[in-house]
Amino acid sequence: MHDPRLTPARGDIAAKHLEGKVEAARFVEGETFEIADALAPLRQGPSADAEQATQALKGERVTIYDRNAEGWAWGQLEADGYVGWLPDAALARPAAAPTHKVTALRTFAFPGPSIKLPPAEALVMGSRVSITREDGIFAVTREGWFVPKAHLAGLDDHAPDFVAIAERFVGTPYLWGGKSCLGIDCSGLVQLALQATGKSCVRDSDMQQAQLGHALSAEESKHLQRGDLIFWRGHVAIVRDANTVVHANAFHMATAIEGAQEAIARIGAGGSEVTAVKRI
């Protein structure tokens, strides 16, 4: 059974590499593009009011298999394999490969070497840019934007503690499918935080439960450690220490720090019990 979230196949069209594995009217090679916008929604359907499944950040690569006349493109993100519809206007032909990533929660890209200029763009953590040169406190992107060097790092520069990354998002509004400081959901927080440490991570909480770390026994789960993940059906929280978790959740409508047992009891009272505790 192919997961439609990760399989570029529909009844009318599918990726060429899936020929013989899935049924489709035609199979196409697809074309590689990159996300040109600072943040692009990946939706379940080709419509602005379709559910947002996730978001793609500037510099991400995506393989596009189909386009429609209404300005939507259907494809698969390279980083985590998620499939869906992106605004065609958010895509560009790949140019120079990214060299740096944004490590600040958010930063501004200025049209010149002065912080007094109106920003040309706002970029969020995880965005990828191609730097051509430096100019004082700025790094200059291939677009000619000036980004503070202090807010960037090389692609191979990895944060040491993914929990500390997640903690920086405390107070960020909850957003279904969100993956930035402007709005984030529970699994987006886990994914973004782990990616900041150089670890690949699937997008949704059920995928994360299936693929990340190893499951703890009931006895082991009594002794939580920093970096453990607590899973419920449709939700995940990151353990900060033996007593607290950090998670993006719709109860607080924000990323919040909460007592671990308090969260377990509250969510349990709503009808959802813990399904697993994983240690990475």
Side-chain angles (χ1 to χ4, degrees):
M1 184 69 176
H2 298 284
D3 188 334
R5 296 170 296 178
L6 301 174
T7 309
R10 309 189 318 237
D12 60 331
I13 192 170
K16 185 71 173 176
H17 66 84
L18 293 174
E19 194 165 7
K21 300 176 183 177
V22 301
E23 292 187 7
R26 61 190 178 100
F27 294 86
V28 298
E29 290 289 353
E31 296 180 88
T32 300
F33 289 82
E34 69 176 28
I35 304 299
D37 285 2
L39 201 60
L42 185 142
R43 300 191 181 279
Q44 293 189 346
S47 169
D49 59 4
E51 181 180 313
Q52 177 173 264
T54 186
Q55 291 175 317
L57 310 184
K58 180 177 176 61
E60 282 196 62
R61 299 296 169 96
V62 56
T63 302
I64 297 300
Y65 297 100
D66 188 26
R67 280 185 156 101
N68 68 18
E70 286 73 49
W72 293 90
W74 181 76
Q76 183 172 34
L77 298 177
E78 182 180 285
D80 62 15
Y82 220 108
V83 174
W85 292 90
L86 291 156
D88 210 345
L91 305 176
R93 294 284 181 181
T99 59
H100 290 70
K101 61 187 176 182
V102 175
T103 53
L105 279 181
R106 54 194 170 275
T107 190
F108 291 114
F110 298 93
S114 171
I115 59 172
K116 296 180 181 180
L117 295 171
E121 187 62 273
L123 301 174
V124 296
M125 180 185 286
S127 301
R128 296 184 167 213
V129 293
S130 178
I131 299 302
T132 59
R133 62 187 176 89
E134 295 184 1
D135 187 334
I137 64 169
F138 296 101
V140 185
T141 72
R142 68 166 191 250
E143 296 93 345
W145 295 346
F146 289 70
V147 181
K149 289 190 295 186
H151 293 169
L152 300 174
L155 296 182
D156 293 330
D157 185 272
H158 303 312
D161 179 10
F162 87 95
V163 183
I165 297 295
E167 289 170 332
R168 292 172 62 186
F169 284 84
V170 168
T172 296
Y174 180 83
L175 177 66
W176 183 270
K179 210 171 78 171
S180 82
C181 61
L182 301 176
I184 200 163
D185 65 13
C186 65
S187 55
L189 182 66
V190 171
Q191 184 185 55
L192 200 60
L194 283 173
Q195 287 175 338
T197 66
K199 296 180 175 66
S200 61
C201 181
V202 286
R203 178 59 176 89
D204 293 344
S205 61
D206 63 321
M207 301 175 186
Q208 293 170 355
Q209 180 176 329
Q211 297 186 33
L212 296 179
H214 65 276
L216 301 185
S217 67
E219 183 60 32
E220 290 172 323
S221 298
K222 295 178 182 178
H223 307 284
L224 296 173
Q225 295 181 11
R226 186 174 177 87
D228 289 347
L229 299 175
I230 304 176
F231 290 93
W232 295 260
R233 185 174 162 280
H235 187 60
V236 57
I238 303 168
V239 173
R240 296 177 65 244
D241 52 39
N243 299 311
T244 62
V245 297
V246 56
H247 57 152
N249 65 93
F251 177 78
H252 295 97
M253 281 308 295
T255 297
I257 291 172
E258 186 175 9
Q261 296 308 315
E262 177 185 344
I264 291 171
R266 176 176 57 75
I267 297 172
S272 183
E273 299 298 327
V274 172
T275 54
V277 179
K278 306 290 290 286
R279 182 159 294 163
I280 297 175

